[in-house]
Amino acid sequence: QVQLVESGGGSVQAGGSLRLSCAASGYTYSSGCMGWFRQAPGKGREGVAVIYTGGGSLYYADSVKGRFTISQDNAKKTAYLQMNSLKPEDTAMYYCAAAAFCGYGGYWSRLSWYNYWGQGTQVTVSQ
Protein backbone atom coordinates (compact mmCIF):
# COMPACT_ATOMS: atom_id res chain seq x y z
CA GLN A 1 0.00 0.00 0.00
CA VAL A 2 1.42 3.33 -1.08
CA GLN A 3 1.53 6.04 1.55
CA LEU A 4 2.71 9.61 1.26
CA VAL A 5 3.07 11.56 4.47
CA GLU A 6 3.70 15.31 4.42
CA SER A 7 5.14 17.32 7.27
CA GLY A 8 6.64 20.74 7.88
CA GLY A 9 3.74 23.08 7.38
CA GLY A 10 2.98 25.92 9.73
CA SER A 11 2.42 29.64 10.08
CA VAL A 12 5.03 32.21 9.17
CA GLN A 13 5.20 35.89 8.40
CA ALA A 14 5.72 37.16 4.89
CA GLY A 15 9.34 36.81 3.86
CA GLY A 16 9.83 33.76 6.02
CA SER A 17 10.72 30.19 5.09
CA LEU A 18 9.36 26.69 5.56
CA ARG A 19 10.55 23.28 4.46
CA LEU A 20 8.01 20.62 3.62
CA SER A 21 8.83 16.92 3.56
CA CYS A 22 7.03 14.04 1.88
CA ALA A 23 7.97 10.54 2.97
CA ALA A 24 6.92 7.75 0.61
CA SER A 25 6.40 4.11 1.47
CA GLY A 26 5.21 1.15 -0.58
CA TYR A 27 6.22 3.01 -3.73
CA THR A 28 8.96 2.46 -6.32
CA TYR A 29 10.53 5.79 -5.63
CA SER A 30 13.40 5.54 -8.09
CA SER A 31 11.16 6.11 -11.09
CA GLY A 32 8.27 8.40 -11.91
CA CYS A 33 7.47 11.81 -10.50
CA MET A 34 6.99 13.37 -7.11
CA GLY A 35 5.02 16.57 -7.24
CA TRP A 36 3.95 19.26 -4.83
CA PHE A 37 0.55 20.84 -5.27
CA ARG A 38 -1.43 23.37 -3.31
CA GLN A 39 -5.03 24.37 -2.88
CA ALA A 40 -6.18 27.64 -1.39
CA PRO A 41 -9.72 28.05 -0.06
CA GLY A 42 -12.19 28.43 -2.91
CA LYS A 43 -9.59 27.66 -5.56
CA GLY A 44 -8.58 24.64 -7.56
CA ARG A 45 -5.56 22.50 -6.88
CA GLU A 46 -2.49 23.75 -8.70
CA GLY A 47 0.94 22.34 -9.34
CA VAL A 48 3.82 23.96 -7.49
CA ALA A 49 6.85 21.86 -8.41
CA VAL A 50 7.82 18.41 -9.60
CA ILE A 51 10.91 16.26 -9.57
CA TYR A 52 11.39 13.34 -11.92
CA THR A 53 12.77 10.89 -9.40
CA GLY A 54 14.81 8.85 -11.86
CA GLY A 55 16.53 11.58 -13.85
CA GLY A 56 16.24 14.46 -11.40
CA SER A 57 14.63 16.97 -13.78
CA LEU A 58 12.83 19.79 -11.99
CA TYR A 59 9.94 22.01 -13.00
CA TYR A 60 8.24 24.85 -11.15
CA ALA A 61 5.13 26.91 -11.44
CA ASP A 62 5.94 30.44 -12.57
CA SER A 63 4.54 31.84 -9.32
CA VAL A 64 7.20 30.10 -7.21
CA LYS A 65 10.26 30.14 -9.47
CA GLY A 66 13.27 31.57 -7.70
CA ARG A 67 11.64 31.17 -4.27
CA PHE A 68 10.87 27.45 -3.93
CA THR A 69 13.23 24.52 -4.41
CA ILE A 70 12.22 20.90 -4.78
CA SER A 71 14.70 18.18 -3.92
CA GLN A 72 14.82 14.54 -2.98
CA ASP A 73 16.67 11.96 -0.96
CA ASN A 74 16.27 8.70 -2.85
CA ALA A 75 17.69 6.62 -0.02
CA LYS A 76 15.03 7.98 2.32
CA LYS A 77 12.32 7.99 -0.36
CA THR A 78 11.60 11.53 0.65
CA ALA A 79 10.90 14.65 -1.37
CA TYR A 80 11.32 18.15 0.00
CA LEU A 81 10.00 21.58 -0.84
CA GLN A 82 12.07 24.45 0.50
CA MET A 83 9.96 27.58 0.44
CA ASN A 84 11.69 30.94 0.86
CA SER A 85 10.46 34.52 0.60
CA LEU A 86 6.96 33.35 1.36
CA LYS A 87 4.05 35.58 0.44
CA PRO A 88 0.48 35.70 1.76
CA GLU A 89 -0.70 34.35 -1.58
CA ASP A 90 1.28 31.15 -0.87
CA THR A 91 -1.22 30.34 1.88
CA ALA A 92 -2.79 26.99 1.04
CA MET A 93 -2.98 23.32 1.88
CA TYR A 94 0.08 21.70 0.33
CA TYR A 95 -0.04 18.14 -0.97
CA CYS A 96 2.60 15.82 -2.31
CA ALA A 97 1.67 13.34 -4.97
CA ALA A 98 3.30 10.48 -6.84
CA ALA A 99 2.94 9.38 -10.43
CA ALA A 100 4.50 6.60 -12.45
CA PHE A 101 4.56 9.03 -15.38
CA CYS A 102 3.75 12.73 -15.50
CA GLY A 103 4.25 13.75 -19.07
CA TYR A 104 7.04 15.95 -20.34
CA GLY A 105 7.87 19.58 -19.76
CA GLY A 106 4.89 21.74 -18.96
CA TYR A 107 2.40 18.89 -18.69
CA TRP A 108 3.66 17.68 -15.33
CA SER A 109 0.98 19.49 -13.36
CA ARG A 110 -1.96 17.63 -14.84
CA LEU A 111 -3.71 16.16 -11.79
CA SER A 112 -4.78 12.99 -13.57
CA TRP A 113 -1.17 11.79 -13.82
CA TYR A 114 -0.96 11.38 -10.05
CA ASN A 115 -2.28 8.18 -8.52
CA TYR A 116 -1.22 8.74 -4.95
CA TRP A 117 -1.72 11.75 -2.71
CA GLY A 118 -0.73 12.68 0.80
CA GLN A 119 -3.13 14.07 3.38
CA GLY A 120 -1.83 17.62 3.05
CA THR A 121 -0.08 20.08 5.32
CA GLN A 122 -1.27 23.63 5.91
CA VAL A 123 0.92 26.61 5.14
CA THR A 124 -0.25 30.01 6.32
CA VAL A 125 1.65 33.19 5.52
CA SER A 126 0.64 36.41 7.24
CA GLN A 127 1.54 40.00 6.42
Side-chain angles (χ1 to χ4, degrees):
Q1 183 180 358
V2 175
Q3 278 194 316
L4 303 176
V5 179
E6 301 102 333
S7 60
S11 297
V12 295
Q13 289 190 322
S17 298
L18 285 172
R19 187 193 195 206
L20 306 184
S21 299
C22 174
S25 60
Y27 174 68
T28 304
Y29 190 86
S30 58
S31 64
C33 312
M34 290 292 289
W36 285 98
F37 294 78
R38 65 186 182 186
Q39 188 165 16
K43 295 188 177 181
R45 193 168 296 190
E46 63 173 358
V48 175
V50 70
I51 185 165
Y52 288 70
T53 56
S57 296
L58 312 174
Y59 293 93
Y60 296 93
D62 288 343
S63 58
V64 306
K65 281 181 183 176
R67 300 189 298 122
F68 290 12
T69 302
I70 189 170
S71 62
Q72 64 177 350
D73 184 330
N74 280 358
K76 294 182 179 180
K77 295 186 177 182
T78 300
Y80 304 96
L81 186 68
Q82 177 67 43
M83 305 186 295
N84 298 330
S85 302
L86 282 161
K87 304 175 181 180
E89 51 264 43
D90 295 317
T91 295
M93 185 71 79
Y94 282 71
Y95 300 89
C96 68
F101 177 75
C102 61
Y104 301 101
Y107 296 99
W108 62 269
S109 59
R110 182 182 297 175
L111 300 181
S112 58
W113 291 126
Y114 296 85
N115 305 104
Y116 306 104
W117 293 83
Q119 81 287 352
T121 185
Q122 179 68 37
V123 171
T124 302
V125 185
S126 59
Q127 286 284 9

